Amino acid sequence: MDFTAVLSQLADPALLLTIVLCTLYGALVGALPGLSATMAVALLVPFTFFMDPVPAIAAIVATTSTGIFAGDISGALLRIPGTPASAAYVADSSTIAHAGKPRTVLFVSLFSGAAGGVIGVIALSLAAPMLAGFATSFSSYEMFWLAALGLSCAVFVSDAPPAKTFASLFIGLAIACVGIDVAVGMPRYTFGLYDLYDGVNFISAMIGFFALTELFRAALEPRTPRSEAKSLKMEPLRQAIGDAFKVVCQRWVSVIRSGPLGVFIGVLPGAGSDVAAWIAYAVSRRFSKTPEKYGKGHYEGIVDGGASNNAAVSGAWTPALIFGIPGDSVTAIAIGVLMMKGLNPGPDIFERSGDLVYTLFGAFLLANVAMVFTGAVAILLASQLMRMSKSLLMPLILGLSLIGGFAVMNSAFSIWIIITLGIVGFAMTLGGIPLAPAILGVVLGKVLERNFMTSMIKSQGEFLPFFSRDISLVLGVAAILIWGLCLYRAIRAIIRPDKTPRTMENDA
């Protein structure tokens, strides 16, 4: 590999301008309710037709890096997570934001995400072939247990009563069952509607559960000058940046721990940043000295989740480059762009196009650095938007949410899905049922079912092969131990209910 050639390409002003503009584009699109990083990349693809290979891939990389972070902006300010990964710590971020420190918590997400992204780039460039080889050793057995672990973490980290947390998770799994049966190919729970044959898209589910639910809640809140003033409170920018930098520096161990964990999970095909953030949040709570503060406005979970989230973005490119296996939906689009430019992913890509691959790694690094500045611009614009009156802001959010939902499926039927799930989500909140486990159930439900059915067909109905491989044995035992712990908590809650109400502690 010619490092001089790589550095000269990275120093190209046109490439640097592309990275800066795309990081700003990804931040602005990702911050809008209903518009995800995947959608931002999909909208960018037509423009890559007219670009050279390096700027085209760099544009996708830059858009993805900031688009993933920007999902935290709507999560903190509006309680509407932009991605399923943001839903892992939306309770913490929104609590801190509504306690008077919205800019601080957003800069904490930005700094930890950028740090995690840099760790991901370093790990990707040093160990890509080794990590890719490890990823290919994962069969349907390991992927089933990994999905089961992800679902278990949602129950394990929740502060709601176990029965209500399980109820939320099963609601999400039930929604994931809508569509064509993966084993026999027959439609189920579609009620004769062809639009449901492809199932319920998780973006539509997320908009319905979070955006519409929040709009319903806001519509029923009494309008008082005091409540309006509280929603507009913003701390000074310099103070927010200083406090956020101090928070991330104090929790550098969390970044060092969750960054590599995110890379490891991101490498696994189909896992991506969504699973990485949830598992990192669960691990963070398990090793924290103050686990009781999680979900009530605690920075530690936000740092862990944000670092793991962005590190997984880099990890997802490993199987995409080495084997042409998409690590997530974004890399699936990127593979198409690579092939369009005549660059076929494969084990020998380092030999055929080594300079291009390492230029891509450099673009990742530059994108995470540029994200600090463009993300700050997005935070400032979003915080100014929050100064609008609720009577103007809420219809704007509703319009953006419905447009985003329509764009996902290119069908008006998705709007009905959003409205229906919004009503379901609002009913869940009235009953004290948390929403985040339901979203994770929608995201991982199909992954769990598909790998379970594949494994059962391979094993001819036997369960022992689920534990016959070393990695599947470790993951399986870990999942079963977590299930046992969750069951123990549920039984203890029934036998010895807590007599004292929980206090809403806040370390913001």
Side-chain angles (χ1 to χ4, degrees):
M1 182 190 63
D2 187 354
F3 281 102
T4 304
V6 171
L7 291 176
S8 63
Q9 288 193 69
L10 291 175
D12 184 3
L15 179 64
L16 295 175
L17 180 62
T18 299
I19 291 174
V20 171
L21 291 178
C22 287
T23 52
L24 182 60
Y25 162 72
L28 296 178
V29 174
L32 297 175
L35 301 181
S36 63
T38 303
M39 188 179 299
V41 171
L43 295 174
L44 187 67
V45 168
F47 296 95
T48 63
F49 294 162
F50 309 100
M51 296 181 180
D52 292 331
V54 172
I57 301 302
I60 293 177
V61 166
T63 301
T64 307
S65 299
T66 47
I68 291 293
F69 147 73
D72 295 348
I73 295 178
S74 58
L77 300 181
L78 302 171
R79 293 193 182 94
I80 305 171
T83 64
S86 303
Y89 43 88
V90 68
D92 290 292
S93 60
S94 63
T95 299
I96 296 173
H98 288 81
K101 293 192 174 183
R103 288 175 173 172
T104 301
V105 71
L106 288 176
F107 276 106
V108 167
S109 295
L110 176 61
F111 293 154
S112 58
V118 170
I119 291 175
V121 173
I122 294 173
L124 180 64
S125 58
L126 294 179
M130 181 185 66
L131 290 174
F134 181 79
T136 56
S137 68
F138 266 59
S139 66
S140 59
Y141 299 116
E142 285 83 7
M143 290 305 300
F144 165 76
W145 287 120
L146 185 67
L149 271 175
L151 293 171
S152 304
C153 289
V155 179
F156 186 66
V157 303
S158 176
D159 281 326
K164 293 184 177 181
T165 306
F166 275 111
S168 176
L169 184 60
F170 288 137
I171 289 173
L173 291 174
I175 294 172
C177 289
V178 175
I180 301 294
D181 187 295
V182 296
V184 298
M186 294 296 292
R188 58 188 180 188
Y189 309 121
T190 58
F191 306 102
L193 300 172
Y194 292 106
D195 295 279
L196 288 177
Y197 275 32
D198 289 333
V200 176
N201 185 275
F202 74 87
I203 295 293
S204 299
M206 193 161 54
I207 294 172
F209 274 129
F210 285 101
L212 266 290
T213 297
E214 192 63 29
L215 291 172
F216 288 148
R217 182 188 295 140
L220 295 180
E221 282 182 355
R223 292 284 189 273
T224 63
R226 184 177 179 181
S227 65
E228 289 286 338
K230 183 178 179 181
S231 65
L232 301 178
K233 184 178 180 181
M234 295 283 174
E235 71 274 41
L237 178 61
R238 182 175 297 180
Q239 176 188 339
I241 295 175
D243 291 347
F245 188 75
K246 183 179 179 181
V247 167
V248 176
C249 289
Q250 288 175 341
R251 291 165 173 81
W252 63 272
V253 174
S254 298
V255 176
I256 298 299
R257 175 181 62 207
S258 297
L261 177 62
V263 175
F264 169 74
I265 297 174
V267 165
L268 306 177
S273 58
D274 301 339
V275 179
W278 282 89
I279 292 181
Y281 187 86
V283 171
S284 173
R285 180 169 180 169
R286 170 64 182 83
F287 290 100
S288 175
K289 297 179 180 179
T290 55
E292 70 281 356
K293 293 184 178 181
Y294 280 64
K296 302 170 186 176
H298 195 39
Y299 284 116
E300 193 169 349
I302 299 172
V303 172
D304 275 280
S308 179
N309 191 359
N310 278 61
V313 174
S314 301
W317 281 78
T318 302
L321 290 173
I322 306 298
F323 296 101
I325 302 172
D328 55 16
S329 55
V330 171
T331 50
I333 299 173
I335 288 175
V337 174
L338 282 171
M339 292 182 174
M340 180 181 67
K341 299 297 182 181
L343 303 169
N344 295 320
D348 60 342
I349 192 170
F350 285 93
E351 298 177 6
R352 291 185 287 106
S353 308
D355 290 351
L356 175 64
V357 173
Y358 282 98
T359 302
L360 170 63
F361 295 162
F364 252 119
L365 184 62
L366 292 176
N368 281 280
V369 174
M371 182 178 74
V372 175
F373 302 98
T374 54
V377 173
I379 290 172
L380 291 178
L381 293 177
S383 59
Q384 291 298 323
L385 185 66
M386 288 300 294
R387 296 180 183 274
M388 293 175 57
S389 169
K390 283 189 176 181
S391 59
L392 296 176
L393 183 61
M394 292 305 167
L396 178 62
I397 295 172
L398 176 62
L400 289 173
S401 299
L402 296 181
I403 291 172
F406 176 82
V408 170
M409 299 177 62
N410 199 26
S411 169
F413 188 78
S414 60
I415 296 177
W416 291 108
I417 293 176
I418 291 172
I419 294 173
T420 301
L421 294 182
I423 295 172
V424 172
F426 184 61
M428 289 169 63
T429 59
L430 293 178
I433 299 176
L435 298 176
I439 285 296
L440 196 64
V442 174
V443 174
L444 291 182
K446 292 186 181 298
V447 177
L448 185 80
E449 181 189 14
R450 181 173 62 251
N451 286 284
F452 176 76
M453 296 304 299
T454 302
S455 300
M456 290 298 289
I457 292 172
K458 288 194 302 186
S459 64
Q460 298 182 350
E462 297 290 334
F463 284 100
L464 285 180
F466 280 80
F467 302 92
S468 60
R469 296 159 58 93
D470 293 340
I471 301 176
S472 64
L473 175 64
V474 174
L475 294 175
V477 170
I480 292 173
L481 288 176
I482 291 178
W483 295 345
L485 182 58
C486 292
L487 183 61
Y488 168 74
R489 287 176 54 189
I491 295 174
R492 187 179 64 177
I494 296 173
I495 298 176
R496 299 174 58 189
D498 189 3
K499 301 296 183 182
T500 59
R502 292 180 175 178
T503 59
M504 294 298 291
E505 300 177 62
N506 195 323
D507 69 337

